[in-house]
Amino acid sequence: MALEKTLVLLKPCTVQRALCGEVINRFEKKGLRIAGMKMMQLDEAILREHYAHLVDRPFFPTLRDSMMATPVVALALEGVDAIEVVRQMAGPTNGRKALPGTIRGDYSVSGQQNIVHASDGPETAAAELKRFFRDEEIFEWTSPMRVAVYASDEC
Ligand code: UDP
Ligand code: MG
C-alpha cells in the first residue's frame, strides 16, 4: 500500500464526445484526489516519446493523428495504489472487450478511441507525470475527505 500519483489523459475522442466531465466525475467519486489538471495540444514529438513502445506498429500513424485531433485533458490523480486503481477503472485497451463498469467498457467500442490513457506502473507514472506536468503544476493540497475515504492506517 503506497500513496501514488498517476497520469491520466482524457483523449481527443473524449473531448469531442463531451465526456470529460463524466469521466473526471468517476475519478472524483472513487475518492482519488486531483493533484493536477490542464488542457494541452499534443504534437508529434511528445507522442513519439509517449508511445515509444508503439512507434513501429502499423497503427501508430492513426493513433498519433487521433491523439492530435483536439487538445487532451491531462490529470495527475493521487490515491493509495492509484496506478493500479486507475488502470482497473479504465479497463482493458479494447473498448469492445472491456467489461461494463469500466470506463472503456461503458464509453468505448473501439480499440483505439478508448477514452483514457492511464500510466501502467510506477516507473511509467513518474516519467509520464514529468512529461505532461511541470513541478509547479502538481498541487499538494490536503483533501478534507481523506478521513472518510481511507482508514487511519491506510493513508
Ligand atoms: N492501440 C491501438 N491498437 C492496438 C493497440 C493499441 O490503436 O492494437 C492504441 C490504443 O489507443 C491504446 C494505445 O494505443 O490505448 C496505447 O496502447 P497500449 O498497449 O499502451 O494500451 P493501454 O495502456 O492504453 O491500454
Ligand atoms: Mg499503455
Side-chain angles (χ1 to χ4, degrees):
M1 252 183 343
L3 192 64
E4 296 174 337
K5 288 189 184 69
T6 188
L7 176 86
V8 168
L9 299 177
L10 305 184
K11 295 185 175 187
C13 59
T14 309
V15 174
Q16 289 169 316
R17 290 173 58 195
L19 290 172
C20 294
E22 199 148 323
V23 175
I24 292 168
N25 196 18
R26 289 168 77 125
F27 293 127
E28 286 190 304
K29 282 182 175 168
K30 179 73 172 170
L32 295 161
R33 184 179 75 82
I34 299 176
M37 178 160 66
K38 65 176 177 178
M39 200 167 211
M40 52 195 297
Q41 175 63 49
L42 304 186
D43 61 17
E44 168 119 22
I46 199 169
L47 286 164
R48 291 188 80 84
E49 192 182 295
H50 185 61
Y51 287 131
H53 60 302
L54 299 173
V55 283
D56 295 326
R57 302 290 292 273
F59 59 82
F60 180 75
T62 57
L63 173 62
R64 175 200 59 204
D65 292 351
S66 73
M67 291 298 291
M68 291 168 49
T70 69
V72 300
V73 176
L75 297 165
L77 298 177
E78 184 186 75
V80 173
D81 300 337
I83 298 165
E84 191 191 345
V85 166
V86 170
R87 287 288 287 192
Q88 295 285 352
M89 288 178 76
T93 305
N94 188 330
R96 291 189 294 276
K97 305 248 168 71
L99 288 177
T102 64
I103 292 168
R104 288 162 168 173
D106 285 350
Y107 301 116
S108 169
V109 287
S110 170
Q112 183 165 98
Q113 305 277 65
N114 57 4
I115 310 297
V116 289
H117 166 83
S119 305
D120 64 7
E123 292 79 24
T124 43
E128 291 177 353
L129 286 164
K130 278 222 170 309
R131 181 171 302 137
F132 290 94
F133 286 96
R134 295 196 302 269
D135 286 351
E136 63 269 26
E137 292 174 325
I138 303 284
F139 296 92
E140 297 301 338
W141 56 280
T142 303
S143 170
M145 292 205 309
R146 190 183 276 208
V147 293
V149 168
Y150 294 110
S152 54
D153 60 356
E154 278 180 317
C155 188

